[in-house]
Amino acid sequence: MNFISHKTFKNIAYLFSCAIFFILTSCEEDLTKLNGSDNKNFPSQIIHNAKIIQRDSGVITLKATAPIIEKYELIDSPYTVAKKGMKIEFFDKKNPKKPGNITAKYAKMYDYKKFYEARGDVKILTSDGQRFATQSVFWDQNKKRIYTRDTVYATMEDGSTLVHANGMTAKDDFSEYKFFNNSGDLDVSKAKIAQPKP
């Protein structure tokens, strides 16, 4: 009788330890699966006081500076983000000594698509001296287009300011641009108005 109860106790202890082992391993596997998907969404590089220079055939086309840049490279669509703001200088081949610039409180760049996004007090100064202010701008570098659907305040070289309530689209060198739903103040004394023929 004593022998049987001792054997039963050993069997229960063995089964209990096996059950704990399987529970712990299955929990461990589930945690690995859960954390595996999240592990890729962290910056692979963090650059403080970043200065980036982009060249095309040895010629500088873009300079960017930011307090901090984070690069996310371990995901399907890698991107770079500047959460504390960024300034980008872009160089026009026609006027390389006088670059235009874009400043914003937040910027995001999709590496493979060459697509840029700027948000928060976006200010653009062209190499011709034109100034634009808006809340967001998108730049498709492959298509060489800049666009926004937010209100754009445009100040021309002569000091006149126009408000474009439904955004704009433009070539990335601002040689051509189109505004939507315009209003504003224009200095007529400086504007060229077509005179009727006598």
Side-chain angles (χ1 to χ4, degrees):
M1 190 81 169
N2 214 1
F3 174 72
I4 293 168
S5 65
H6 184 65
K7 191 175 179 183
T8 308
F9 178 74
K10 275 188 176 179
N11 287 342
I12 291 171
Y14 175 74
L15 288 172
F16 185 67
S17 61
C18 284
I20 290 174
F21 173 76
F22 285 117
I23 288 168
L24 289 175
T25 15
S26 64
C27 288
E28 204 173 290
E29 285 173 14
D30 289 341
L31 285 173
T32 309
K33 284 175 189 172
L34 284 171
N35 292 337
S37 60
D38 293 339
N39 280 344
K40 293 178 182 177
N41 197 18
F42 63 87
S44 55
Q45 289 182 41
I46 299 173
I47 307 164
H48 295 274
N49 299 319
K51 292 177 184 175
I52 299 168
I53 296 174
Q54 188 179 79
R55 297 174 195 271
D56 184 10
S57 304
V59 178
I60 295 173
T61 56
L62 183 142
K63 281 184 182 178
T65 55
I68 186 166
I69 288 179
E70 297 175 347
K71 289 180 78 69
Y72 292 79
E73 298 171 300
L74 305 174
I75 54 177
D76 292 337
S77 298
Y79 64 89
T80 303
V81 67
K83 294 177 183 173
K84 293 188 176 179
M86 180 175 249
K87 179 180 180 179
I88 298 174
E89 288 182 292
F90 48 92
F91 293 81
D92 187 1
K93 289 177 184 176
K94 298 170 191 171
N95 194 1
K97 291 183 180 177
K98 195 177 177 187
N101 65 63
I102 297 175
T103 58
K105 288 185 175 178
Y106 172 91
K108 190 173 187 180
M109 295 146 281
Y110 296 90
D111 300 343
Y112 293 145
K113 295 177 185 176
K114 290 192 175 178
F115 188 84
Y116 297 77
E117 168 187 340
R119 293 186 183 275
D121 291 333
V122 181
K123 292 182 178 128
I124 302 168
L125 171 65
T126 69
S127 55
D128 297 335
Q130 298 173 69
R131 296 178 182 273
F132 303 93
T134 186
Q135 284 305 307
S136 69
V137 164
F138 303 93
W139 175 22
D140 190 330
Q141 198 175 11
N142 288 328
K143 292 181 181 176
K144 298 187 175 180
R145 300 297 298 176
I146 288 178
Y147 62 90
T148 182
R149 290 286 175 212
D150 289 336
T151 301
V152 178
Y153 298 89
T155 305
M156 302 303 151
E157 265 188 301
D158 64 2
S160 59
T161 301
L162 295 172
V163 179
H164 312 285
N166 292 325
M168 67 178 271
T169 180
K171 280 190 174 180
D172 61 0
D173 63 355
F174 285 91
S175 59
E176 288 178 19
Y177 44 84
K178 181 179 179 182
F179 297 106
F180 307 103
N181 198 6
N182 306 321
S183 66
D185 299 321
L186 182 65
D187 188 348
V188 180
S189 65
K190 294 178 184 177
K192 292 180 182 177
I193 300 171
Q195 297 295 326
K197 291 182 181 177

